[in-house]
């Protein structure tokens, strides 16, 4: 009331101003403390957290403008279903870089992220596609070979690599925390007991590799060995680098340009065969529910509803993607739509 008195002295006026300033400052402080103590789960996640924090989950996704709808749905599903600090490391091409950066900043300002461009010169003259699926020759399909070069600051971290046509229904922190044992990486086998029970995934090494080639014969691989899918994997970068994985992958990639090592078989070529050779009987098995795949092919129609509901990760492997195919040719499109976001 004294401060409202128009007849106060100059000294009293100054004192009142200080009192008002103190009161306003106290209110601001109390308001801030109240907000910090009561903010919801999605308001404080990850923003400003350093990438070296011990429980940070590092996720690598490769995509481009034409598939960005799928990639952003992937990010949304990861973010929605985890409470762990999240860092998304995005690999794209030069033409898509700005669009990807804008989408991540606009849609997920609370998620720590970075966007890097894959130098296509790294793969110049090193890719040979023998089948009809020429899309397998896109350089971004091979970005997973260069993890240590694309993300040098993560050379001692565990990374989760995801294709851009997956939806994560479980907590990505559980996937990142899988015990890799003595191995550098974990993949999902095409011959897990669950897959056999459901009649899924019959791929074996002879579907990918040319066992008539002397280079393949010299390795002593079993043609009937069950393959794995390289679209989802967990990797310990320390072991990846120590084992020279990149160098092994590039060796087989380049050799295939002058020798028929892979790509002419029924399973096709692309980036997968060099990984099958490099990680032959040398990887940890991912639990079946952490990579339920085939949703983009007729196989997906055979997956029981209870498996779809329980799956921690769904993968639309195959030609039909949930963001582009018609509802009549896409399995379980409704699940994808739950996480689809409008691009800016």
């Amino acid at each position: 009331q004294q401060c409202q008195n128009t007849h106060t002295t100059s000294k009293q006026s100054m004192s009142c101003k200080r009192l008002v300033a103190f009161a306003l400052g106290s209110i601001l402080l109390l308001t801030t403390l109240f907000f910090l103590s009561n903010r919801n789960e999605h308001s404080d996640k990850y923003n400003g957290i350093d990438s070296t924090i011990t429980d940070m989950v590092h996720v690598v996704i490769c995509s481009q403008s034409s598939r960005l709808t799928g990639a952003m749905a992937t990010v949304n599903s990861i973010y929605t279903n985890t409470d762990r600090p999240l860092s998304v490391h995005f690999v794209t091409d030069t033409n898509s870089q700005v669009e990807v950066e804008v989408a991540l900043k606009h849609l997920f300002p609370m998620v720590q992220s970075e966007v890097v461009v894959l130098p296509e010169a790294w793969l110049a003259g090193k890719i040979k596609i023998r089948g009809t699926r020429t899309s397998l020759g896109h350089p971004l399909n091979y970005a997973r070979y260069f993890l240590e070069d694309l993300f040098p600051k993560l050379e001692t971290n565990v990374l989760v690599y995801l294709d851009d046509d997956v939806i994560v229904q479980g907590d990505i922190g559980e996937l990142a925390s899988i015990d890799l044992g003595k191995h550098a990486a974990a993949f999902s086998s095409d011959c897990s007991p669950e897959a056999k029970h459901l009649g899924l995934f019959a791929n074996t090494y002879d579907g990918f590799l040319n066992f008539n080639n002397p280079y393949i014969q010299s390795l002593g691989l079993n043609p009937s060995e069950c393959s794995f899918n390289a679209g989802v994997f967990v990797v310990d970068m320390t072991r990846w680098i120590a084992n020279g994985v990149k160098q092994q992958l590039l060796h087989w990639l380049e050799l295939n340009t002058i020798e028929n090592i892979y790509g002419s078989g029924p399973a096709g070529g692309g980036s997968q065969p060099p990984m099958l050779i490099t990680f032959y009987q040398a990887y940890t098995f991912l639990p079946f529910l952490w990579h339920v795949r085939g949703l983009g092919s007729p196989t997906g129609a055979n997956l029981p509803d209870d498996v779809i509901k329980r799956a921690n990760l769904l993968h639309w492997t195959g030609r039909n993607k949930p963001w582009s195919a018609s509802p009549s040719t896409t399995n379980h499109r409704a699940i994808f739509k739950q996480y689809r976001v409008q691009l800016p």
Side-chain angles (χ1 to χ4, degrees):
Q1 291 178 348
Q2 288 181 344
C3 291
Q4 294 175 345
N5 190 334
T6 57
H7 300 288
T8 55
T9 66
S10 175
K11 186 175 181 178
Q12 288 175 321
S13 177
M14 182 65 69
S15 177
C16 287
K17 289 180 179 178
R18 289 173 179 170
L19 181 61
V20 171
F22 176 78
L24 291 175
S26 298
I27 292 172
L28 178 60
L29 176 60
L30 290 172
T31 302
T32 302
L33 290 173
F34 177 81
F35 171 76
L36 290 174
S37 63
N38 291 277
R39 54 189 171 178
N40 60 45
E41 294 178 354
H42 290 258
S43 65
D44 69 336
K45 284 169 54 171
Y46 326 139
N47 214 1
I49 296 178
D50 189 272
S51 63
T52 58
I53 191 168
T54 54
D55 63 343
M56 178 78 73
V57 178
H58 296 277
V59 180
V60 177
I61 301 174
C62 300
S63 191
Q64 60 189 127
S65 295
S66 61
R67 299 169 63 95
L68 201 54
T69 296
M72 291 301 108
T74 299
V75 175
N76 191 29
S77 69
I78 297 169
Y79 174 71
T80 299
N81 295 310
T82 188
D83 289 323
R84 289 275 296 274
L86 178 65
S87 186
V88 176
H89 308 272
F90 217 101
V91 188
T92 191
D93 53 39
T94 302
N95 294 334
S96 304
Q97 182 181 10
V98 173
E99 187 174 354
V100 173
E101 290 176 342
V102 170
L104 285 172
K105 291 178 181 179
H106 176 80
L107 297 171
F108 306 103
M110 70 298 288
V111 175
Q112 182 172 285
S113 63
E114 65 172 323
V115 179
V116 299
V117 172
L118 174 68
E120 296 190 7
W122 289 356
L123 291 156
K126 297 178 181 178
I127 301 173
K128 173 74 173 182
I129 301 298
R130 292 187 168 84
T132 58
R133 293 185 62 187
T134 56
S135 60
L136 295 176
H138 195 289
L140 283 178
N141 287 329
Y142 304 83
R144 68 200 82 188
Y145 291 8
F146 300 97
L147 294 175
E148 63 201 76
D149 301 312
L150 293 167
F151 308 109
K153 293 182 179 179
L154 303 178
E155 61 181 11
T156 60
N157 291 92
V158 171
L159 311 182
V160 177
Y161 178 94
L162 300 178
D163 278 351
D164 60 4
D165 53 353
V166 311
I167 290 295
V168 180
Q169 298 187 127
D171 187 339
I172 196 72
E174 296 179 10
L175 182 59
S177 301
I178 283 177
D179 184 3
L180 296 178
K182 64 180 181 180
H183 298 128
F187 300 91
S188 177
S189 170
D190 283 343
C191 298
S192 67
E194 296 89 346
K196 288 183 178 179
H197 175 72
L198 295 171
L200 307 173
F201 320 133
N203 292 331
T204 52
Y205 269 57
D206 56 359
F208 291 92
L209 307 179
N210 178 15
F211 278 84
N212 292 320
N213 184 278
Y215 286 95
I216 294 298
Q217 292 175 349
S218 69
L219 298 175
L221 307 181
N222 178 6
S224 299
E225 180 76 14
C226 290
S227 61
F228 58 80
N229 185 284
V232 173
F233 62 92
V234 181
V235 54
D236 182 322
M237 287 305 300
T238 299
R239 294 175 182 170
W240 176 285
I241 295 171
N243 294 345
V245 171
K246 183 189 76 171
Q247 290 74 18
Q248 295 182 61
L249 295 173
L250 292 178
H251 166 73
W252 292 109
L253 182 69
E254 294 182 51
L255 185 60
N256 189 56
T257 64
I258 57 176
E259 290 277 339
N260 186 355
I261 302 294
Y262 60 83
S264 55
S271 61
Q272 175 122 338
M275 298 195 75
L276 292 175
I277 297 172
T278 301
F279 287 100
Y280 178 76
Q281 295 184 348
Y283 65 93
T284 298
F285 290 82
L286 288 179
F288 172 71
L289 291 178
W290 266 112
H291 194 179
V292 176
R293 54 196 181 275
L295 276 70
S297 68
T299 300
N302 300 325
L303 289 167
D305 289 341
D306 71 300
V307 172
I308 296 298
K309 291 178 181 178
R310 290 187 295 113
N312 292 309
L313 185 148
L314 299 170
H315 191 180
W316 275 262
T317 54
R319 297 180 183 274
N320 297 324
K321 305 303 179 185
W323 62 83
S324 59
S326 64
S328 61
T329 59
T330 303
N331 300 302
H332 309 289
R333 186 185 181 96
I335 296 176
F336 173 82
K337 291 176 69 175
Q338 292 177 27
Y339 296 100
R340 182 169 184 164
V341 288
Q342 185 66 43
L343 297 179

